[in-house]
Amino acid sequence: MPLKEGDPVVVWIDTKRVYLIKLDKEKRLDTDKGVIFHKDLIGLEYGSSITLSTGVKAYLLKPTIHDLYSKGLKRPSQVLYPKDIGYILISAGIGQISKVVEAGTGSGFLTIALALSSNAKIYTYDIREDMLKVARFNARILGVEDRIVFKLKDIREGVDEKDVDAVFLDMPDPWNAIPKVYESLVPSAALIVFVPTINQIEKTYFAMKNSGIIDIHVEEIILREYQVKENAVRPKNVGIMHTGFIIRGRKSI
Amino acid sequence: MPLKEGDPVVVWIDTKRVYLIKLDKEKRLDTDKGVIFHKDLIGLEYGSSITLSTGVKAYLLKPTIHDLYSKGLKRPSQVLYPKDIGYILISAGIGQISKVVEAGTGSGFLTIALALSSNAKIYTYDIREDMLKVARFNARILGVEDRIVFKLKDIREGVDEKDVDAVFLDMPDPWNAIPKVYESLVPSAALIVFVPTINQIEKTYFAMKNSGIIDIHVEEIILREYQVKENAVRPKNVGIMHTGFIIRGRKSI
Amino acid sequence: MPLKEGDPVVVWIDTKRVYLIKLDKEKRLDTDKGVIFHKDLIGLEYGSSITLSTGVKAYLLKPTIHDLYSKGLKRPSQVLYPKDIGYILISAGIGQISKVVEAGTGSGFLTIALALSSNAKIYTYDIREDMLKVARFNARILGVEDRIVFKLKDIREGVDEKDVDAVFLDMPDPWNAIPKVYESLVPSAALIVFVPTINQIEKTYFAMKNSGIIDIHVEEIILREYQVKENAVRPKNVGIMHTGFIIRGRKSI
Amino acid sequence: MPLKEGDPVVVWIDTKRVYLIKLDKEKRLDTDKGVIFHKDLIGLEYGSSITLSTGVKAYLLKPTIHDLYSKGLKRPSQVLYPKDIGYILISAGIGQISKVVEAGTGSGFLTIALALSSNAKIYTYDIREDMLKVARFNARILGVEDRIVFKLKDIREGVDEKDVDAVFLDMPDPWNAIPKVYESLVPSAALIVFVPTINQIEKTYFAMKNSGIIDIHVEEIILREYQVKENAVRPKNVGIMHTGFIIRGRKSI
């Protein structure tokens, strides 16, 4: 299918030069390897490439969740990483869910990942209007804006939605939202919480347990990258050692 | 929605007593906490519980990928773990794919995870008929058998499908399948390989690179479980240190 | 130097059959590969081997800290692992210390490691007489009993020694010992604490900081074992994920 | 004992401002928190502090191996980290060894650690004169120069020393040195090899095995640092993911 106005495209030059754009025939992408006019990409296919003025090739790829981290999206707040998102999605039963609630929205990376990976309608709560704006901007680039309801509301005051298939919390004090979140969940549905510090684990765990959540697990996902050169494979020397802890369980009644 | 004959159900008693069953009014589940007759579960809801003869509660949950590892499915071959599956799914662009090819099938855990997490049609190749039988048995329990095409064929001899949205390889010598797999992929689509040893990394990486796969990453996902007791949170002492390495990239043309 | 009565010897048959003995011409070592009479080892050298009745070789090695974990020593309490001991020793300035205080003694593995690795006199405190007995038994096998003073005393009530070159604490509530331990330390000397749970980290850290300890670091040492077969190198599948956290700092005045 | 001319001193201002100096009454140390004239430190004690012109305190500490990594030593080549050094030292039987051979010298960090942590005489081989010069410079600061013999020689051509208690190799092709190194070792003594890539593991392992080394282990030491704030403890976000693999074994005859 040829690319058309409005399509999201990853422009991949090399590992360090990855750009996520939404095709707009009025716009251009400036890179240190050459300029790309969006209009020149219209009509091409995902997977094809163009040659820049420097002779370097730029490949056009269909965005996956990994590409959210390339240049193009805004991230004023800390974002979840793919290693965490993948695990969260399968814990939520991605593919079998139709209504999801999430708080806080932040830069919207998980929101977008949920939208890209499922057919669910996503209700995302944040108390900061500027964050909702950023998330909306990001969702628009990926073309999933209409799948998401952005709500300027403190989830600790209650969840408006009923019969929710999964709730995801990424906020400083999830334990204050858990009792109300529990009410909104369909029985057996997953509640998944992400916290950066260890101190938050215990409070979250017991708030979940005391609310009637069962099968609670506290886990951390660590990703190790390897560098491959001929006859010289090894883990990369420096990397992300920690993002946060995932606490997951399911509602019992 | 009340549970009915043929539905997959997780019977969760505690962390060590988790059973995955397919409701069959003729059958019973024996546990050391009491017997459960399937017919007594029909008409109940996911999330609800029954009390066993020993006074212990058994909760009925809707299966997620984590539950594949409970008692119920067969696993004669080594299986991928949820930590790996989650990452593989988002790397494949789960939610945006409609045709997936996989080899080898093995016990079918990834096959089932792909079916549960997407609307895609899955073509799974294995050279062992006994494995395909096991995988089919497992898929039937989860109710996704009709979404999967089980093929007794050596993928190194070619992929029958065209315009495939993602290919996943978990086999001893993926490099021997990569050139043919490349042909079957839609441009920009993901090729994802899982290998247990380090020696396989280099060969796979260069086979991918030489076939026209770009944006290649070699990664390992490590999961650390935490034990929570009041005032005593710590990583669990013993656990899975290693399953395998994930090598992922995308087709360029 | 030929082995003589009383010498500590590691009898190494294979990775799973490693025995630590103290030569006693009246004694025998029974293994499933054959019997070894200690008297037959007297006069041999470290590094040499004898052939057992089953035709298998048993090598005689000079014990290092790794060998403490073989069959021979008693370990009724949890013990520190070599990965932690190595790091603790260099943090303590091993090789430059002459007086060390330690609590609690436990099975005496760190005590013995300190004795084997330095010329220091070691004062080890425990409130359990049975543990001191175990530790003394273990120290005797390694021939370092006379380098250690075993004290049945609660270190929280005070440290008898003055001008101590390093203190090591492995006890449930190190924060209750830290102010008194601080007094016993020579300025600039290291205080090193080992705790298994995360909840203990914060209390220990601030107790150290408030006592005048500087350069405080909280660290965890993780060891990953690799399995080597021809053309198949990989991390071992299962292993020790966690022992404890090391909190180290130095006394300022 | 009051500090005197020539003593090594760690000037510790905060975690990011740590300086290793050798007292020289003609010299000064410039920091962004103020100037320190060495002569003002003479007569003070380890553990004491002076107040800089900015009002900030600078503590004077006795160097441990951790301090080698502060500002002061030269490191033109990659260096081993304390996490690795601690483990290597106990594997070598530090405290029970009197003659050690090492290659290559590099910046001399392990050489110095061996000298600081034991009474052993250390013979260090390198084929680069500039490296030996750097290592000698570093050793001089720590005051251990006379315990080390710096040898401009390719260890693959043979080891001059006999009855060596431990050999440590950190070079690109250790397998080419292992047969000759084996000859120099006292029976039961440890051979320890450090390699950065996985490809080197297999060759080293089999070279050791084929030379008569037993009890071979391949291990990796990973250090995780924790950040402590009140009510907010967590692993640090970014850190060293990999330095190298340690392969250790002992000579059998």
Side-chain angles (χ1 to χ4, degrees):
Chain A
M1 243 170 24
L3 293 171
K4 58 181 194 306
E5 178 81 6
D7 279 349
V9 175
V10 172
V11 177
W12 191 92
I13 298 174
D14 57 39
T15 306
K16 302 199 167 178
R17 290 178 180 85
V18 189
Y19 307 85
L20 180 49
I21 60 175
K22 184 182 180 64
L23 290 185
D24 176 342
K25 59 182 187 296
E26 308 294 326
K27 289 195 175 159
R28 52 186 274 173
L29 171 67
D30 291 292
T31 83
D32 63 345
K33 296 294 180 189
V35 180
I36 296 168
F37 293 94
H38 288 207
K39 65 174 160 38
D40 294 344
L41 306 186
I42 290 175
L44 298 178
E45 304 257 353
Y46 284 131
S48 64
S49 64
I50 58 166
T51 302
L52 304 185
S53 60
T54 52
V56 169
K57 274 188 170 185
Y59 294 91
L60 312 177
L61 299 173
K62 188 172 174 184
T64 66
I65 287 161
H66 289 293
D67 300 308
L68 303 181
Y69 303 80
S70 58
K71 294 173 189 80
L73 297 197
K74 295 179 180 172
R75 23 178 173 163
S77 67
Q78 213 149 11
V79 295
L80 284 165
Y81 277 62
K83 69 182 179 72
D84 299 310
I85 289 182
Y87 197 71
I88 287 167
L89 293 187
I90 64 163
S91 301
I94 201 71
Q96 306 177 276
I97 55 180
S98 57
K99 198 192 289 182
V100 180
V101 164
E102 177 212 23
T105 311
S107 305
F109 276 44
L110 181 68
T111 327
I112 294 168
L114 287 162
L116 285 176
S117 307
S118 72
N119 295 318
K121 187 91 183 176
I122 296 135
Y123 299 83
T124 186
Y125 289 65
D126 209 301
I127 51 174
R128 285 180 55 180
E129 197 158 11
D130 57 338
M131 279 302 163
L132 291 170
K133 213 173 144 185
V134 165
R136 192 184 287 274
F137 169 90
N138 288 339
R140 194 174 301 142
I141 290 182
L142 274 301
V144 294
E145 193 188 359
D146 61 331
R147 300 266 307 289
I148 303 162
V149 180
F150 296 89
K151 307 185 68 156
L152 181 63
K153 183 178 168 179
D154 186 340
I155 199 167
R156 294 171 299 187
E157 291 168 7
V159 181
D160 302 328
E161 294 71 31
K162 301 285 165 218
D163 300 326
V164 174
D165 295 313
V167 171
F168 175 77
L169 301 177
D170 176 10
M171 54 191 290
D173 58 341
W175 47 86
N176 288 324
I178 286 172
K180 290 195 170 152
V181 155
Y182 174 87
E183 294 305 322
S184 73
L185 279 169
V186 138
S188 182
L191 169 57
I192 303 161
V193 182
F194 185 84
V195 294
T197 79
I198 291 160
N199 305 64
Q200 293 163 298
I201 290 176
E202 197 170 335
K203 279 183 171 173
T204 301
Y205 181 92
F206 286 108
M208 284 170 75
K209 197 169 177 186
N210 296 335
S211 291
I213 301 293
I214 60 169
D215 195 25
I216 310 174
H217 296 263
V218 180
E219 294 160 326
E220 183 184 9
I221 302 284
I222 298 165
L223 182 139
R224 215 170 183 210
E225 278 187 277
Y226 287 76
Q227 174 181 310
V228 180
K229 289 185 187 163
E230 227 177 308
N231 227 5
V233 177
R234 60 174 178 74
K236 289 196 179 170
N237 291 134
V238 175
I240 302 295
M241 296 293 281
H242 176 72
T243 56
F245 305 99
I246 297 171
I247 310 166
R248 61 181 173 90
R250 289 185 276 187
K251 175 174 177 168
S252 73
I253 45 175
Chain B
M1 242 170 28
L3 294 171
K4 57 181 197 303
E5 177 81 4
D7 278 350
V9 176
V10 172
V11 177
W12 191 93
I13 298 175
D14 57 40
T15 307
K16 302 200 166 175
R17 291 177 180 85
V18 189
Y19 307 87
L20 182 49
I21 59 175
K22 184 181 179 67
L23 290 185
D24 177 341
K25 59 182 189 297
E26 308 294 325
K27 288 195 177 160
R28 51 187 275 174
L29 170 67
D30 290 292
T31 83
D32 63 345
K33 295 295 180 188
V35 180
I36 296 169
F37 294 93
H38 288 207
K39 67 176 159 35
D40 295 345
L41 306 186
I42 290 175
L44 298 178
E45 305 256 351
Y46 284 131
S48 64
S49 63
I50 58 165
T51 302
L52 304 185
S53 60
T54 52
V56 169
K57 274 188 168 185
Y59 295 92
L60 312 177
L61 299 173
K62 189 174 176 182
T64 66
I65 288 162
H66 290 292
D67 299 309
L68 302 181
Y69 303 82
S70 58
K71 295 171 187 81
L73 298 196
K74 295 178 181 172
R75 21 178 173 161
S77 68
Q78 212 150 12
V79 295
L80 285 165
Y81 277 62
K83 65 182 182 73
D84 299 309
I85 289 182
Y87 197 72
I88 287 167
L89 293 187
I90 65 165
S91 300
I94 199 73
Q96 306 177 277
I97 54 180
S98 56
K99 198 193 293 181
V100 181
V101 164
E102 177 212 22
T105 310
S107 305
F109 276 45
L110 181 68
T111 328
I112 294 168
L114 286 162
L116 285 176
S117 308
S118 73
N119 295 318
K121 187 91 183 175
I122 296 133
Y123 299 84
T124 186
Y125 289 64
D126 209 301
I127 50 173
R128 285 179 56 180
E129 197 158 10
D130 56 339
M131 280 301 163
L132 291 171
K133 211 172 146 186
V134 164
R136 193 185 286 274
F137 170 89
N138 288 339
R140 194 174 302 141
I141 289 181
L142 272 303
V144 295
E145 196 188 356
D146 60 331
R147 300 268 308 290
I148 303 163
V149 180
F150 297 89
K151 307 185 69 155
L152 181 64
K153 183 177 169 180
D154 186 339
I155 199 166
R156 292 171 298 187
E157 291 168 8
V159 180
D160 304 327
E161 295 70 33
K162 301 284 164 219
D163 300 326
V164 175
D165 295 313
V167 171
F168 175 77
L169 300 177
D170 176 10
M171 53 192 291
D173 58 339
W175 47 88
N176 287 325
I178 286 171
K180 291 199 168 147
V181 155
Y182 174 88
E183 295 305 322
S184 72
L185 279 169
V186 139
S188 183
L191 169 56
I192 303 161
V193 182
F194 185 84
V195 294
T197 78
I198 291 160
N199 304 64
Q200 294 163 299
I201 291 176
E202 198 170 333
K203 279 185 171 172
T204 302
Y205 180 92
F206 286 109
M208 286 170 75
K209 199 168 175 187
N210 295 336
S211 291
I213 302 293
I214 60 168
D215 195 25
I216 308 174
H217 296 263
V218 180
E219 293 159 327
E220 183 185 10
I221 302 283
I222 298 165
L223 182 139
R224 216 172 181 207
E225 279 186 276
Y226 287 76
Q227 173 181 313
V228 179
K229 289 185 186 162
E230 228 178 309
N231 228 6
V233 177
R234 60 175 179 74
K236 288 194 181 172
N237 291 134
V238 175
I240 302 295
M241 295 292 282
H242 175 71
T243 56
F245 305 99
I246 297 170
I247 310 166
R248 61 181 173 89
R250 290 185 276 187
K251 175 174 178 167
S252 73
I253 46 176
Chain C
M1 243 171 24
L3 294 171
K4 58 179 195 304
E5 177 83 4
D7 278 350
V9 175
V10 173
V11 177
W12 190 94
I13 298 175
D14 57 40
T15 306
K16 301 199 169 177
R17 291 176 180 85
V18 189
Y19 307 86
L20 182 49
I21 58 174
K22 184 181 180 65
L23 290 185
D24 176 342
K25 60 181 186 297
E26 308 293 326
K27 289 197 176 157
R28 51 187 275 174
L29 171 67
D30 291 293
T31 84
D32 63 345
K33 295 294 179 191
V35 180
I36 296 169
F37 294 93
H38 288 208
K39 64 176 159 39
D40 295 344
L41 308 185
I42 290 176
L44 298 178
E45 304 257 353
Y46 283 131
S48 63
S49 63
I50 57 165
T51 303
L52 304 185
S53 59
T54 53
V56 169
K57 273 189 171 186
Y59 295 91
L60 312 179
L61 299 173
K62 188 174 175 182
T64 67
I65 288 163
H66 291 292
D67 299 309
L68 302 182
Y69 303 82
S70 59
K71 294 171 189 83
L73 297 197
K74 295 180 180 171
R75 20 178 174 163
S77 69
Q78 213 149 12
V79 295
L80 284 165
Y81 277 61
K83 67 182 180 70
D84 299 309
I85 288 182
Y87 197 71
I88 287 167
L89 293 187
I90 65 165
S91 300
I94 200 70
Q96 306 178 276
I97 54 181
S98 56
K99 198 194 290 181
V100 180
V101 163
E102 179 212 20
T105 311
S107 305
F109 276 45
L110 181 67
T111 326
I112 294 168
L114 287 162
L116 284 176
S117 307
S118 72
N119 295 317
K121 187 92 184 174
I122 297 135
Y123 300 84
T124 187
Y125 289 64
D126 208 301
I127 51 173
R128 286 180 56 181
E129 197 158 10
D130 57 339
M131 280 303 164
L132 291 172
K133 212 171 144 185
V134 165
R136 193 184 287 272
F137 170 90
N138 289 337
R140 195 173 302 143
I141 289 182
L142 272 303
V144 293
E145 196 188 357
D146 61 331
R147 299 267 308 288
I148 303 164
V149 180
F150 297 88
K151 307 185 67 157
L152 180 64
K153 183 178 169 179
D154 187 340
I155 199 167
R156 294 171 299 188
E157 289 167 10
V159 180
D160 303 327
E161 294 70 32
K162 301 286 165 217
D163 300 326
V164 174
D165 294 313
V167 171
F168 175 76
L169 301 177
D170 176 8
M171 53 191 290
D173 57 340
W175 46 88
N176 288 325
I178 286 171
K180 290 197 171 152
V181 155
Y182 174 87
E183 294 305 322
S184 72
L185 280 168
V186 138
S188 184
L191 169 57
I192 303 162
V193 182
F194 185 84
V195 293
T197 80
I198 292 160
N199 304 63
Q200 294 163 300
I201 291 176
E202 197 169 337
K203 279 183 172 172
T204 302
Y205 181 91
F206 286 109
M208 283 170 75
K209 197 168 177 186
N210 295 336
S211 291
I213 301 293
I214 60 168
D215 194 25
I216 308 175
H217 296 263
V218 180
E219 294 159 326
E220 184 185 9
I221 301 284
I222 297 165
L223 182 140
R224 215 171 183 209
E225 278 186 276
Y226 288 76
Q227 174 180 309
V228 180
K229 288 184 188 164
E230 227 179 308
N231 227 5
V233 177
R234 61 175 179 74
K236 289 197 180 170
N237 292 135
V238 174
I240 302 295
M241 297 292 282
H242 175 71
T243 55
F245 305 100
I246 297 170
I247 310 165
R248 62 181 172 89
R250 289 185 276 187
K251 175 173 178 169
S252 73
I253 46 175
Chain D
M1 244 171 24
L3 295 170
K4 57 183 196 303
E5 179 81 5
D7 279 349
V9 175
V10 172
V11 177
W12 192 92
I13 298 175
D14 56 40
T15 306
K16 302 200 167 176
R17 290 178 180 83
V18 188
Y19 307 86
L20 181 50
I21 59 175
K22 184 183 180 65
L23 290 185
D24 176 342
K25 60 181 188 295
E26 309 293 325
K27 288 196 176 160
R28 52 186 274 173
L29 171 67
D30 291 292
T31 83
D32 62 345
K33 296 293 180 188
V35 180
I36 295 168
F37 294 94
H38 289 207
K39 66 173 158 40
D40 295 344
L41 306 185
I42 290 173
L44 298 178
E45 305 256 353
Y46 284 131
S48 65
S49 64
I50 58 166
T51 302
L52 305 185
S53 60
T54 52
V56 168
K57 273 187 170 186
Y59 294 91
L60 312 178
L61 299 173
K62 188 173 175 181
T64 66
I65 288 162
H66 291 292
D67 299 309
L68 302 181
Y69 303 82
S70 59
K71 294 171 188 83
L73 297 198
K74 294 180 180 171
R75 24 179 172 161
S77 69
Q78 213 149 10
V79 294
L80 284 164
Y81 277 61
K83 68 181 180 71
D84 300 310
I85 289 181
Y87 197 71
I88 288 166
L89 293 187
I90 64 164
S91 301
I94 200 71
Q96 306 177 277
I97 53 181
S98 56
K99 199 193 291 182
V100 180
V101 163
E102 177 211 24
T105 311
S107 304
F109 275 46
L110 181 68
T111 328
I112 294 169
L114 286 163
L116 284 176
S117 308
S118 72
N119 295 318
K121 187 90 184 177
I122 296 135
Y123 299 84
T124 187
Y125 288 65
D126 209 301
I127 51 174
R128 286 180 56 181
E129 195 158 12
D130 56 340
M131 280 303 163
L132 291 171
K133 210 172 147 187
V134 164
R136 193 184 286 273
F137 170 90
N138 288 339
R140 194 175 301 141
I141 289 182
L142 273 301
V144 294
E145 196 188 358
D146 59 333
R147 299 268 307 289
I148 303 164
V149 180
F150 296 88
K151 306 184 70 156
L152 182 63
K153 181 176 172 183
D154 187 339
I155 198 166
R156 295 171 298 188
E157 291 167 8
V159 181
D160 304 326
E161 295 71 32
K162 300 287 163 216
D163 300 327
V164 174
D165 295 313
V167 171
F168 175 77
L169 301 177
D170 176 10
M171 53 191 290
D173 57 341
W175 47 87
N176 288 325
I178 286 172
K180 290 197 171 151
V181 155
Y182 174 86
E183 295 305 322
S184 73
L185 279 169
V186 137
S188 181
L191 168 57
I192 303 162
V193 181
F194 185 84
V195 294
T197 80
I198 291 159
N199 306 62
Q200 295 163 298
I201 291 176
E202 198 171 334
K203 278 184 174 174
T204 302
Y205 180 91
F206 286 109
M208 284 170 75
K209 199 169 174 185
N210 296 335
S211 291
I213 301 292
I214 60 168
D215 194 24
I216 309 175
H217 295 263
V218 180
E219 293 159 326
E220 184 184 9
I221 302 284
I222 299 165
L223 182 140
R224 215 171 183 208
E225 277 186 279
Y226 288 76
Q227 173 180 311
V228 180
K229 289 185 185 161
E230 228 179 308
N231 227 6
V233 177
R234 59 174 181 73
K236 289 196 180 170
N237 292 135
V238 176
I240 302 295
M241 297 292 281
H242 175 71
T243 55
F245 305 99
I246 296 170
I247 309 166
R248 60 179 173 91
R250 288 184 277 187
K251 175 173 179 169
S252 72
I253 45 176

